[in-house]
Amino acid sequence: TKMSMTAIMCLTAAIYFETRGEDNVTGQVAVATVIMNRVDSPRWPSTVCGVIHQDYQFSYTHNGITNNPYKHAKRPADKEALQLAELIAELVLNGERLDLTSTHYHATYISSPEWANHYSKDAQYGTHVFYTAPKGF
């Protein structure tokens, strides 16, 4: 199947803004896997961009900074992070995934969200903890 340019752009932006501080590529792939798990689930929108731009799911989409990583990435380190995010997005859209059923994650540097008490903790990669929502939650 031909990848939509929009899907690549949305997934690249999500990986970049959510994980560019990670020195752990696995953590970045895990975040992208969560997004794809949501796309594959009837409980969320059926497109990558639909999942990412759902209200209040990903902080960078509503915190007032540009959603465009190409405008954001000025420093060499950010440009590198963006190239890596693009590469990961492409691999994940072509079917590379972690073996995770996770549908949620949060960063370790924030206090645990209320929902985390009700979900199964799957793994931690770098600064993100991954969870699977229970059925019907």
Side-chain angles (χ1 to χ4, degrees):
T1 65
K2 180 143 178 21
M3 271 184 285
S4 132
M5 218 26 234
T6 316
I8 274 228
M9 287 157 71
C10 288
L11 194 53
T12 297
I15 295 166
Y16 176 80
F17 285 115
E18 294 281 304
T19 71
R20 75 178 175 281
E22 284 284 351
D23 53 0
N24 182 331
V25 172
T26 310
Q28 294 182 292
V29 177
V31 163
T33 299
V34 163
I35 292 167
M36 299 313 292
N37 286 348
R38 287 186 176 195
V39 170
D40 295 343
S41 163
R43 289 172 51 195
W44 282 275
S46 58
T47 65
V48 170
C49 296
V51 163
I52 290 166
H53 290 289
Q54 211 180 3
D55 280 352
Y56 297 101
Q57 295 300 304
F58 297 92
S59 52
Y60 79 90
T61 63
H62 60 266
N63 66 4
I65 60 171
T66 174
N67 285 346
N68 182 342
Y70 300 92
K71 284 189 177 142
H72 184 275
K74 304 272 188 262
R75 300 177 326 192
D78 288 334
K79 285 188 167 72
E80 265 177 51
L82 183 55
Q83 284 177 324
L84 180 60
E86 215 168 43
L87 179 67
I88 292 169
E90 205 171 316
L91 288 169
V92 167
L93 287 169
N94 278 316
E96 286 292 320
R97 310 271 167 90
L98 288 189
D99 188 15
L100 280 179
T101 58
S102 307
T103 49
H104 293 72
Y105 63 87
H106 68 80
T108 53
Y109 47 82
I110 64 159
S111 55
S112 218
E114 170 54 34
W115 54 258
N117 302 326
H118 309 283
Y119 292 22
S120 326
K121 183 175 172 182
D122 300 326
Q124 179 175 338
Y125 299 106
T127 56
H128 290 88
V129 188
F130 295 84
Y131 300 83
T132 299
K135 294 275 176 271
F137 210 82

